[in-house]
Amino acid sequence: MNRILAIETSCDETAAAVIGDGRTILSNVVATQIELHRRFGGVFPEVASRQHVLAIQPVIAQALAEAGVASVRDLDAIAVTHGPGLAGSLLVGVNAAKGLAFAAGLPLLPVNHLEGHIYSNWLDVPERSEGRPTDNFPVLVLIVSGGHTELIEMAGHGRYRRLGGTLDDAAGEAFDKVARLLDLGFPGGPAIQQAATSGAPTAFDLPRALRHAPDHRFDFSFSGLKTAALNLTKRLEQEDRDLRDPALLADIAASFEQAVADILVEKTADAALLTDARQVCICGGVSANRALRATATARLAELGLPLYIPPLALCTDNAAMIGAAAYHRRQVDDGTGDGLAIDVHASLPLPEIA
Ligand code: KG4
Ligand code: ZN
């Protein structure tokens, strides 16, 4: 079996995994820094890189031990995220990977973090009843994370065409900002979802931006939604409503969540129809969202299109997806091999078909 050790440190998770044949999770270790960053209300870059330095060796050791890898030399390659992400954080993973690859004489495979998210859906997850996508292309992919919101047509493994994306905030960023506005804490996505549990998604009418914008058919905009949420809270305060009232908060959170889910799903479904997609994948931290999952499942069932969303643990950042992406990229880019000269790229785009 081909075994790749994958390392991911692009943001606030120090992660390492061993992946067999590009799809089997032999180990998947994630050390999250959420508690450290909570008091800053967001990811504090210097704190993140310092914490990666502390965590990286034990996380790698644990991933190797759990996968039963006695020596790094027994592996086939080392994969590492080299962008996009926080430069100081990426550097920790890249340097660790270089050291291991050099010492063991193994190929070093640089991975684009967005391509990693895409391949989170290609991992074998026994508990997922729908299985994994087949090689029936084109596959329409929606990436929704803290830093990105992208609609991608995947023509084959490693072959991408960007259809559109956010013009301003990423979907996850909107969750994080609105959570801060509502004083719900960090990270915003899970906090809003939790607050929304008993709320009515139809309680407040929030905008679905660029819905009928011919020049931006597959683009998104979330900054207006954030402003609309701010204006809503101001109006409610003027009406002497108590914004700490859990029932009111639940209605705001549920209405916000549904506005995000609706526009994401509507444009994903339109793009799938336009590109004649055979399958649809959603990935990235926001794909953990319950409202998004439910809305997408219902809409794609109407269209009769298979939909894949990773299990929750593989939605947010992890190294298993990096290993899967590295394996598949190696199949298409023969000899990506010796990448000891790789550098970090804070704003690395997804490679597109020429
Ligand atoms: O993919 P990810 O872990 O990191 C990036 O590559 O950005 O995504 C993190 C983002 C954060 O903005 C977080 O608030 C959001 O994903 N998120 C969620 C949920 N869980 C995480 N958003 C909505 N609902 C969730 N359950
Ligand atoms: Zn990510």
Side-chain angles (χ1 to χ4, degrees):
M1 183 192 269
N2 172 288
R3 290 188 300 178
I4 294 178
L5 168 69
I7 297 171
E8 152 66 43
T9 62
S10 68
C11 190
D12 61 341
E13 326 278 2
T14 317
V18 179
I19 298 304
D21 291 338
R23 57 188 287 175
T24 307
I25 302 176
L26 300 172
S27 65
N28 185 24
V29 180
V30 181
T32 180
Q33 305 180 1
I34 283 178
E35 286 310 320
L36 265 182
H37 297 289
R38 190 160 271 150
R39 66 196 157 112
F40 304 111
V43 178
F44 197 101
E46 285 78 6
V47 173
S49 39
R50 209 175 317 137
Q51 188 58 29
H52 284 308
V53 171
L54 294 175
I56 190 81
Q57 294 305 342
V59 164
I60 291 172
Q62 191 183 337
L64 292 172
E66 286 181 12
V69 177
S71 159
V72 176
R73 286 193 176 79
D74 299 339
L75 295 163
D76 293 276
I78 312 275
V80 64
T81 308
H82 70 136
L86 300 169
S89 290
L90 288 163
L91 209 52
V92 179
V94 165
N95 283 337
K98 278 185 186 178
L100 287 172
F102 180 68
L106 292 176
L108 178 62
L109 312 176
V111 176
N112 181 303
H113 182 79
L114 298 174
E115 190 163 28
H117 276 300
I118 292 175
Y119 276 95
S120 61
N121 268 308
W122 261 268
L123 286 159
D124 270 335
V125 184
E127 64 270 26
R128 188 160 72 160
S129 58
E130 67 271 32
R132 68 205 270 283
T134 61
D135 287 354
N136 193 10
F137 295 101
V139 176
L140 195 280
V141 185
L142 171 70
I143 308 175
V144 265
S145 69
H148 292 86
T149 305
E150 311 264 330
L151 267 175
I152 309 284
E153 181 191 6
M154 190 173 176
H157 285 293
R159 301 187 62 225
Y160 311 108
R161 186 164 72 95
R162 184 179 186 273
L163 301 174
T166 185
L167 303 179
D168 40 59
D169 293 349
E173 203 177 342
F175 270 96
D176 295 334
K177 287 179 176 170
V178 171
R180 206 172 304 152
L181 170 76
L182 299 175
D183 223 3
L184 291 173
F186 167 84
I192 289 200
Q193 173 166 311
Q194 173 68 27
T197 306
S198 56
T202 50
F204 299 106
D205 190 18
L206 292 168
R208 275 79 169 149
L210 302 180
R211 190 168 218 167
H212 305 291
D215 293 345
H216 294 290
R217 204 163 160 201
F218 299 126
D219 290 325
F220 303 93
S221 165
F222 293 106
S223 68
L225 177 56
K226 180 189 63 194
T227 310
L230 174 66
N231 291 340
L232 171 65
T233 58
K234 283 188 184 152
R235 178 167 67 77
L236 291 168
E237 273 171 343
Q238 277 164 5
E239 291 169 2
D240 274 340
R241 305 279 299 272
D242 180 4
L243 282 178
R244 285 160 311 175
D245 170 10
L248 180 58
L249 268 180
D251 281 348
I252 303 173
S255 302
F256 166 79
E257 207 177 48
Q258 196 59 48
V260 177
D262 280 348
I263 196 71
L264 288 174
V265 171
E266 185 174 315
K267 295 207 175 208
T268 301
D270 284 355
L273 292 175
L274 183 94
T275 56
D276 208 7
R278 309 295 161 84
Q279 308 172 85
V280 175
C281 291
I282 307 185
C283 56
V286 181
S287 66
N289 185 261
R290 196 175 42 214
L292 174 60
R293 294 172 87 97
T295 307
T297 303
R299 179 75 183 113
L300 286 146
E302 269 172 23
L303 298 180
L305 274 174
L307 168 69
Y308 299 89
I309 311 177
L312 298 185
L314 296 176
C315 290
T316 44
D317 290 347
N318 63 85
M321 67 187 196
I322 302 302
Y327 177 88
H328 285 91
R329 176 139 292 278
R330 218 174 173 205
Q331 313 285 309
V332 287
D333 280 3
D334 207 14
T336 315
D338 186 13
L340 282 179
I342 63 168
D343 208 346
V344 302
H345 302 278
S347 46
L348 186 70
L350 191 68
E352 285 195 71
I353 314 170

